[in-house]
Amino acid sequence: MNGRPGRIRIIGGSLRNSRLEVPELAGLRPTSERVRETLFNWLAPMIEGARVLDLCAGTGALGIEALSRGAAAACFVEPDARAARTLRDNLVRLKVEGGEVVAADAQAFLGGAPRAFDLVFLDPPFALGLWSVLAERLEQGGWLAGRAWVYVESPREPVPALPAQWVLHREGRAGEVRFALYRRALP
């Protein structure tokens, strides 16, 4: 974790250098500053006005970073009640508009009424191995806009099986983590 324990920093946009409180929870693994900086450099041309889904949100750092950089709205899905409460508190404390926190399991959420998102952050807890299941639900369930972008953070190996319509745009590695940005191809 970056910064002092229990806090991470927003690295760009209107909330630059703001700190997010982070609860100490088993398995919570915030995306590193270095990876977030690289990712948002890749996303710079397409973030303005985007509708964002931060699935398996944890700290919400990815979605809050997107809002800080001009995304229109972000839906944060987080099953842990304490993490969801801390995320709501961070949004209120930082006076962030356009953020909606849904305290729900990602699979249950994706079983509900779909909304089309322009950008999805897919970073489930590594121990659960949910990348392929969640990716298929996103693709088949009407959750993705026509040419949506999907960010996937996973262990370095093996690379998760993802829908054929998701075309790799860019990828990187940081330690044992693989991070990749996909573009949904139109049929």
Side-chain angles (χ1 to χ4, degrees):
M1 194 175 312
N2 300 302
R4 73 176 175 83
R7 294 184 78 135
I8 57 175
R9 179 176 70 98
I10 297 300
I11 53 176
S14 63
L15 298 171
R16 184 180 181 157
N17 291 325
S18 296
R19 302 286 176 170
L20 300 179
E21 297 295 329
V22 178
E24 291 191 28
L25 297 170
L28 187 62
R29 182 193 38 77
T31 301
S32 74
E33 279 189 21
R34 188 179 120 217
V35 170
R36 279 187 287 125
E37 185 166 10
T38 299
L39 170 62
F40 282 94
N41 285 341
W42 295 346
L43 289 172
M46 60 284 269
I47 199 77
E48 187 70 36
R51 295 159 301 171
V52 175
L53 174 60
D54 193 344
L55 200 56
C56 310
T59 65
L62 293 171
I64 293 173
E65 192 80 51
L67 288 169
S68 177
R69 293 168 183 251
C75 178
F76 301 88
V77 179
E78 173 53 47
D80 185 273
R82 189 166 155 217
R85 184 173 50 254
T86 301
L87 179 47
R88 276 189 198 97
D89 292 347
N90 280 326
L91 292 170
V92 169
R93 180 176 51 80
L94 296 174
K95 298 178 176 71
V96 176
E97 295 194 14
E100 169 195 7
V101 178
V102 178
D105 170 80
Q107 293 185 69
F109 175 80
L110 294 177
R115 297 182 265 167
F117 289 95
D118 304 304
L119 171 61
V120 175
F121 297 116
L122 180 57
D123 181 15
F126 283 14
L128 299 181
L130 293 173
W131 296 275
S132 298
V133 170
L134 296 176
E136 278 304 320
R137 287 192 180 189
L138 285 164
E139 182 61 40
Q140 300 302 322
W143 293 96
L144 301 174
R147 293 188 45 86
W149 294 91
V150 183
Y151 169 76
V152 178
E153 190 169 317
S154 63
R156 184 173 264 219
E157 296 293 335
V159 173
L162 300 172
Q165 300 90 321
W166 295 12
V167 178
L168 181 64
H169 177 69
R170 302 209 48 186
E171 70 180 317
R173 288 173 174 66
E176 293 304 311
V177 173
R178 175 184 181 265
F179 55 100
L181 184 62
Y182 293 84
R183 181 74 188 258
R184 184 174 187 242
L186 291 172

